[in-house]
């Protein structure tokens, strides 16, 4: 039985914060998933609205993880030219 390996990438930052800690793991997840040899999950922090206002630029905030995930996937697709189906999971961050 041939099973795919599962890779989980944990990071301490996420879009729309445009730091290496946010962007590099996102690209890594997309390209690992594209290779079709493994299942990939990107695990990113979910910040409270109060913390989002402090961290994220240009007053960008999200009411839910699903809204932020949509933003992340669109930003990524605009830059790499393909839709990537890796999983995104959130953990409580501060």
């Amino acid at each position: 039985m041939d099973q795919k390996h599962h890779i989980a990438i944990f990071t301490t930052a996420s879009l729309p914060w445009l730091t290496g800690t946010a962007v590099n793991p996102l690209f890594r997840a997309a390209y690992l998933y594209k290779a079709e040899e493994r299942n990939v999950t990107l695990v990113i922090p979910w910040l409270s609205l109060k913390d989002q206002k402090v961290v994220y630029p240009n007053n960008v905030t999200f009411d839910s993880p699903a809204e932020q995930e949509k933003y992340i996937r669109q930003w990524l697709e605009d830059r790499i030219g393909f839709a990537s189906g890796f999983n995104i999971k959130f953990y409580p961050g501060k």
Side-chain angles (χ1 to χ4, degrees):
M1 179 184 238
D2 189 24
Q3 292 185 343
K4 291 184 178 182
H5 285 79
H6 189 158
I7 295 176
I9 302 168
F10 288 76
T11 187
T12 58
S14 178
L15 295 180
W17 202 19
L18 295 174
T19 64
T21 309
V23 175
N24 292 341
L26 179 60
F27 285 139
R28 174 73 48 102
Y31 283 99
L32 284 171
Y33 181 83
K34 184 179 180 187
E36 297 182 2
E37 299 170 4
R38 57 199 59 91
N39 295 313
V40 179
T41 300
L42 178 63
V43 186
I44 57 177
W46 169 253
L47 301 179
S48 68
L49 184 58
K50 178 182 172 188
D51 288 341
Q52 288 179 47
K53 289 178 180 180
V54 172
V55 174
Y56 297 153
N58 303 320
N59 297 317
V60 175
T61 59
F62 306 98
D63 294 324
S64 69
E67 184 182 351
Q68 185 172 2
E69 181 175 344
K70 182 178 177 184
Y71 175 94
I72 291 167
R73 289 190 186 281
Q74 185 61 58
W75 184 94
L76 180 63
E77 187 175 340
D78 289 347
R79 279 145 188 86
I80 64 175
F82 61 88
S84 190
F86 62 89
N87 295 312
I88 297 178
K89 300 289 183 188
F90 292 85
Y91 66 88
K94 182 154 178 68

